Amino acid sequence: MTDYKFEVCANSVESALAAQEGGATRVELCAGIPEGGTTPPWGDIVTARKYLTKTKLHVIIRPRGGDFLYNSLEKEIMLEDVRNAKKLGADGVVFGCLTAEGNIDMPFMQQLMEASKGMSVTFHRAFDVCRNPKEALEQIIALGCDRILTSGQCETAEIGIPLLKELQAQAAGRIILLAGCGVKEHNIAKIAAETGIKEFHFSAREKAESGSVLIDEKLGMGGKPDQTTVRRVKDTISQLTK
């Protein structure tokens, strides 16, 4: 059971520290969770690096929400963000780029890989909207990425079990598949058993209480966003380690 690894998608440094306390292998630090995750601020990366002493720190490199087709200006930003993540001590980076036709953007991915040397690289869920996942898998392996975060091109990883199982067999140990999206306490063991995948990505968030006494909810700016909790991280991991 000890060969399983657990990555927590953390929307703040507070969530990252809860992930560490809960036993996560690593954290994917990001902003913009409602948009599917965007590049976090420098301050978050610096502070997370300071306090994550037992858990690896990976930083998502995504300049905006929406699709994964980037223009020249966005590509310039992404390359700078990769370089900055390296300077700030990140253990890894997380990105993915597609062409207009839904293929892997190999030329730009090669540039990102060059900038990422010395760090672990995860190709994120851009994979789940690519045209041909099995062809894309081979291209991502050729690029030298360490893993692919995927739900099996479905709404959740549980629904995507059939493709995840096929991709795991095709990968044959050449790259790590990281099952993510909708991975929770009640289904992580099922996904593991039916796919053979050993790494899992989840957020384990709960509603966070605000200390504000004056909250006008109709303005849409009241309260705090949901946060990762130690309890849920532990509960999720325990399903594969008990």
Side-chain angles (χ1 to χ4, degrees), residues 18-36:
Q20 176 171 253
E21 187 175 345
T25 309
R26 64 179 173 268
V27 161
E28 181 202 54
L29 186 64
C30 60
I33 289 281
E35 297 178 293

Side-chain angles (χ1 to χ4, degrees), residues 122-196:
T122 300
F123 192 101
H124 62 39
R125 291 191 63 223
F127 181 85
D128 286 326
V129 293
C130 72
R131 180 186 57 81
N132 185 327
K134 293 185 178 180
E135 179 182 290
L137 176 67
E138 296 300 329
Q139 291 178 308
I140 294 168
I141 290 171
L143 283 166
C145 294
D146 296 284
R147 68 185 58 77
I148 300 171
L149 170 60
T150 175
S151 62
Q153 295 206 321
C154 287
E155 184 179 351
T156 68
E158 184 174 9
I159 298 171
I161 283 173
L163 181 57
L164 288 174
K165 183 177 181 179
E166 291 179 17
L167 293 171
Q168 178 74 351
Q170 180 183 340
R174 295 176 296 157
I175 195 169
I176 297 163
L177 288 188
L178 173 62
C181 192
V183 174
K184 300 181 186 297
E185 297 91 330
H186 71 273
N187 62 18
I188 189 170
K190 176 184 177 182
I191 298 167
E194 296 189 19
T195 65

Side-chain angles (χ1 to χ4, degrees), residues 103-115:
N103 299 314
I104 306 300
D105 184 346
M106 292 295 283
F108 184 53
M109 281 295 301
Q110 287 167 346
Q111 291 183 57
L112 287 169
M113 293 300 295
E114 180 66 26

Side-chain angles (χ1 to χ4, degrees), residues 37-219:
T38 55
T39 307
W42 281 27
D44 282 14
I45 301 171
V46 170
T47 309
R49 178 69 288 163
K50 178 180 178 181
Y51 291 107
L52 289 178
T53 57
K54 298 180 292 183
T55 301
K56 297 289 186 182
L57 172 62
H58 287 197
V59 175
I60 192 169
I61 306 297
R62 189 173 178 228
R64 56 164 173 78
D67 63 26
F68 304 99
L69 174 65
Y70 299 110
N71 62 36
S72 59
L73 186 59
E74 290 169 331
K75 289 179 177 181
E76 185 176 341
I77 292 167
M78 291 175 74
L79 286 167
E80 283 300 323
D81 282 338
V82 168
R83 296 182 189 110
N84 288 328
K86 182 186 288 189
K87 290 175 187 175
L88 297 176
D91 298 296
V93 282
V94 182
F95 48 71
C97 309
L98 303 179
T99 67
E101 296 74 28
N103 299 314
I104 306 300
D105 184 346
M106 292 295 283
F108 184 53
M109 281 295 301
Q110 287 167 346
Q111 291 183 57
L112 287 169
M113 293 300 295
E114 180 66 26
S116 302
K117 281 185 176 178
M119 294 186 289
S120 180
V121 175
T122 300
F123 192 101
H124 62 39
R125 291 191 63 223
F127 181 85
D128 286 326
V129 293
C130 72
R131 180 186 57 81
N132 185 327
K134 293 185 178 180
E135 179 182 290
L137 176 67
E138 296 300 329
Q139 291 178 308
I140 294 168
I141 290 171
L143 283 166
C145 294
D146 296 284
R147 68 185 58 77
I148 300 171
L149 170 60
T150 175
S151 62
Q153 295 206 321
C154 287
E155 184 179 351
T156 68
E158 184 174 9
I159 298 171
I161 283 173
L163 181 57
L164 288 174
K165 183 177 181 179
E166 291 179 17
L167 293 171
Q168 178 74 351
Q170 180 183 340
R174 295 176 296 157
I175 195 169
I176 297 163
L177 288 188
L178 173 62
C181 192
V183 174
K184 300 181 186 297
E185 297 91 330
H186 71 273
N187 62 18
I188 189 170
K190 176 184 177 182
I191 298 167
E194 296 189 19
T195 65
I197 287 173
K198 300 291 187 181
E199 295 201 5
F200 298 90
H201 171 99
F202 52 90
S203 61
R205 286 180 286 142
E206 295 186 84
K207 184 174 179 56
E209 294 299 324
S210 172
S212 296
V213 294
L214 178 62
I215 297 176
D216 191 341
E217 293 186 357
K218 69 177 180 291
L219 295 177

